Amino acid sequence: LGLSPRSTFEDTIPELPADARPDEGDVVCLCRQITRGEILAALRSPLPPTTLDGLKRRTGAILGECQGNICIPRIIELFEQQLGRDPLSIEKNARGSSPICGRIPQGGAAPRARLDVRWGDD
Amino acid sequence: MDHLYDLAVVGAGLAALSFLQAGGAPGATVVLEYQEAPGGFLRAALSAPGFEDAAAVIGGAHRVPGVEIRLGAAAVELLPASEPGASHTVLVRTRQGLDRTRARRLLIACGGLEVPREHDQIPGTRPAGVVTPIFVHQLLDRRYLPGRRAVVYGSARYAAATARRLADAGVAVTLVPPPGTRAPNVHHAVHIERPAELVHIGGFPRLERISLRRDGQLIDLPADTLVYATEMMANTTWLKGSDVALDTHGAILVDERYETNVPEVYAIGTVVAPSLDHVQSVSMGRMVGSVLRGGPA
């Protein structure tokens, strides 16, 4: 095979080859360890994916043990940020498959959130 | 980047914060957390009744002197010490890219992932609207509604907290305890079914109905959202190749001192004992603190 023996080993893994930018190295899809840069690179491509399943097939995100339950809300934000898409318009695959049904009106019944827990300095 | 810590903690959820709050850190300590805030995936459920213990731990715990908490830092690989006395290396991805965190001792408290419907192979279609609690909490945090008519399938206090939060947001919620379990304490706006087995999921592209079986009878429930909240699984895929021993379900095996088969690598919390209720996380955090300071388990 034309392989040559190596005597030194790096105990690290290479930076990802995607067209990621320097400050986008954090992990979005925890199960598959797919980074923000990898997802944004797919969304910046000349023909970006238009659905969550499309992005899943381009990047491998959403395909892990949790089936996207952790990362899809973050990925929807990246669609909004990179492509200007309205989060309510983003679909899983077919027309009518949006994971978001509507907005909670401002000033309406606020859902019980983490706000009543004291978070210290952040 | 090549600073050597006395201890690296993977995860800043209930178990890790319990450990820190009990004064567990034995020296220069770094905490690596995937999310942008401490508290783990349980954070969103904390204000619900039944989580007072967890809320007390998570509320103030991250301001521990001498402990560096790195948020948005996901551990992606563990390279254990090559010989006794050498340091462990954790590969970490942050915004700035990949870096290596070295520590003499490692405490794995990276929790679990909610088991999705796909894992349990519930038959039927695969529509939008079939989710787990963490998905619901993240949408509500962003002021989005995941649906209008939801069924929460589960009986843990975490399932109840999710049902309650959905009801507070104006969603019509029915809670269905799985067979052999009892419905948790939920407030009046949540309709509670008697225990039944989820046997089918129907509708496409959006969920339209689920089918339950109780006493040999099939019952159809209309719903546009199913929150599948039955179990946790340990979050251990990042440990592949590390030699840390896991049980057949992927949970980390530890001895009575919470040490794994790899010397000076410890593990606590949901990653050891997967549970939606995180019942042992607080006590494990306290106990491993005693062990790491040289005391009894």
Side-chain angles (χ1 to χ4, degrees):
Chain A
L1 291 172
L3 302 175
S4 53
R6 290 180 62 178
S7 57
T8 59
F9 296 91
E10 270 289 314
D11 65 348
T12 188
I13 44 184
E15 286 299 332
L16 296 160
D19 309 315
R21 294 175 188 171
D23 59 344
E24 299 172 351
D26 53 321
V27 169
V28 171
C29 167
L30 183 63
C31 303
R32 297 291 304 275
Q33 302 179 353
I34 308 297
T35 65
R36 179 183 308 273
E38 288 174 274
I39 291 168
L40 286 173
L43 295 175
R44 285 186 198 116
S45 65
L47 285 173
T50 58
T51 62
L52 293 167
D53 277 4
L55 182 94
K56 172 174 83 179
R57 295 188 185 101
R58 298 271 187 107
T59 63
I62 306 178
L63 274 171
E65 288 75 15
C66 89
Q67 292 285 308
N69 282 286
I70 294 171
C71 65
I72 286 173
R74 294 171 170 229
I75 288 171
I76 288 173
E77 280 183 347
L78 295 178
F79 267 94
E80 185 182 15
Q81 173 195 323
Q82 188 61 40
L83 299 174
R85 290 277 302 272
D86 176 2
L88 273 66
S89 76
I90 297 168
E91 290 164 329
K92 181 179 186 297
N93 40 43
R95 192 169 292 252
S97 65
S98 173
I100 301 178
C101 268
R103 288 189 168 81
I104 298 170
Q106 290 295 332
R112 221 168 267 272
R114 57 191 193 222
L115 299 176
D116 31 2
V117 177
R118 191 167 50 87
W119 290 114
D121 302 328
D122 51 29
Chain B
M1 296 292 175
D2 277 323
H3 180 75
L4 178 63
Y5 292 94
D6 293 308
L7 177 70
V9 181
V10 178
L14 187 57
L17 293 178
S18 164
F19 162 76
L20 293 175
Q21 198 175 53
T29 297
V30 64
V31 179
L32 306 165
E33 168 57 47
Y34 155 76
Q35 296 196 85
E36 297 294 338
F41 294 133
L42 204 54
R43 187 169 92 235
L46 284 179
S47 60
F51 283 99
E52 292 80 2
D53 56 339
V57 167
I58 291 175
H62 59 290
R63 288 169 292 166
V64 178
V67 175
E68 178 187 344
I69 296 194
R70 298 179 62 195
L71 300 171
V76 295
E77 195 168 334
L78 167 62
L79 303 159
S82 54
E83 56 189 32
S87 60
H88 303 295
T89 303
V90 180
L91 302 186
V92 182
R93 286 203 185 279
T94 68
R95 282 211 165 215
Q96 287 70 42
L98 187 75
D99 80 55
R100 293 178 286 182
T101 297
R102 297 186 191 281
R104 294 187 181 89
R105 294 198 279 191
L106 180 68
L107 177 59
I108 301 172
C110 58
L113 307 166
E114 295 157 356
V115 168
R117 164 266 179 127
E118 286 82 358
H119 183 275
D120 290 343
Q121 301 184 354
I122 308 294
T125 57
R126 296 199 61 200
V130 180
V131 299
T132 65
I134 187 65
F135 185 90
V136 169
H137 290 298
Q138 290 189 91
L139 286 199
L140 293 176
D141 284 346
R142 292 164 169 80
R143 299 191 71 84
Y144 294 126
L145 280 175
R148 310 274 178 198
R149 185 167 195 173
V151 171
V152 176
Y153 183 62
S155 57
R157 62 175 174 164
Y158 184 53
T162 307
R164 178 184 181 129
R165 201 175 166 203
L166 276 168
D168 283 347
V171 178
V173 186
T174 299
L175 186 135
V176 180
T181 67
R182 286 182 49 191
N185 196 11
V186 192
H187 82 356
H188 57 87
V190 175
H191 173 73
I192 298 182
E193 284 277 330
R194 284 192 293 128
E197 182 189 4
L198 174 65
V199 293
H200 195 265
I201 287 170
F204 189 85
R206 181 81 198 187
L207 177 70
E208 290 166 20
R209 84 202 75 82
I210 62 164
S211 303
L212 303 171
R213 183 161 51 210
R214 182 194 299 132
D215 306 329
Q217 295 218 306
L218 279 182
I219 305 149
D220 269 3
L221 268 189
D224 64 8
T225 305
L226 169 65
V227 184
Y228 196 79
T230 57
E231 275 185 277
M232 292 287 265
M233 53 187 161
N235 173 23
T236 48
T237 46
W238 68 281
L239 290 170
K240 198 159 99 178
S242 70
D243 293 336
V244 171
L246 310 176
D247 73 12
T248 53
H249 300 290
I252 298 179
L253 292 165
V254 292
D255 64 17
E256 69 285 353
R257 301 175 67 247
Y258 299 102
E259 192 164 11
T260 70
N261 62 311
V262 179
E264 301 294 353
V265 175
Y266 300 79
I268 54 169
T270 301
V271 78
V272 171
S275 152
L276 270 179
D277 279 340
H278 304 72
V279 282
Q280 297 180 70
S281 295
V282 173
S283 61
M284 283 189 188
R286 288 181 184 144
M287 281 190 275
V288 83
S290 167
V291 168
L292 290 181
R293 290 191 307 272

